[in-house]
Amino acid sequence: MDTRLFDLKQMARFDTAPQRIPVYTSDKSLGAMWCLEPGQEVFLHQHPNADDVWICLEGDAGLYFGGAGKDVPIRAGMAILARAGEVHGMRNTGKERFVFVGIAAPVPVETEKL
């Protein structure tokens, strides 16, 4: 079971730059946790070959960049889907830390930074 259970609170870490913490990788998907201090952001990017679902776990205010000027407020308790090829990124606009888990499939996941 130790390869199926993940203590996200224990894995979380924060620094002067956004932190991407690998959670797991399987032959079909991967999971990573992002930990952002206020003002930090996940760069604008796309995955031409994979869907990417973000599940917001902690944070009072974020701004999800959906590409083409489609910015949406996000917070803990929300989930967001970026289908393959859809531009996405985010900024922690709140006063608290922001944490989300991204699940992407299929692997290997290509990432194009914009």
Side-chain angles (χ1 to χ4, degrees):
M1 287 296 282
D2 60 327
T3 60
R4 294 173 51 190
L5 300 174
F6 309 97
D7 187 338
L8 299 176
K9 286 196 180 280
Q10 186 177 32
M11 294 174 74
R13 68 177 182 268
F14 296 85
D15 206 336
T16 57
Q19 298 296 296
R20 181 186 179 279
I21 299 106
V23 175
Y24 79 92
T25 302
S26 76
D27 61 335
K28 301 201 181 339
S29 66
L30 63 82
M33 178 171 52
W34 283 89
C35 300
L36 293 88
E37 294 283 7
Q40 293 179 342
E41 67 180 53
V42 175
F43 56 88
L44 205 57
H45 65 286
Q46 64 180 350
H47 307 289
N49 69 320
D51 290 348
D52 192 4
V53 176
W54 289 3
I55 303 163
C56 304
L57 303 176
E58 181 181 328
D60 61 341
L63 190 62
Y64 179 81
F65 310 137
K70 298 177 184 172
D71 299 343
V72 179
I74 59 173
R75 66 186 182 299
M78 298 179 81
I80 308 141
L81 168 64
R83 291 178 178 82
E86 291 181 332
V87 174
H88 58 291
M90 72 86 60
R91 175 180 298 124
N92 180 358
T93 57
K95 295 180 181 182
E96 299 177 12
R97 291 175 162 174
F98 202 101
V99 178
F100 68 89
V101 172
I103 307 294
V107 293
V109 176
E110 297 173 24
T111 301
E112 294 179 357
K113 204 173 188 180
L114 303 175

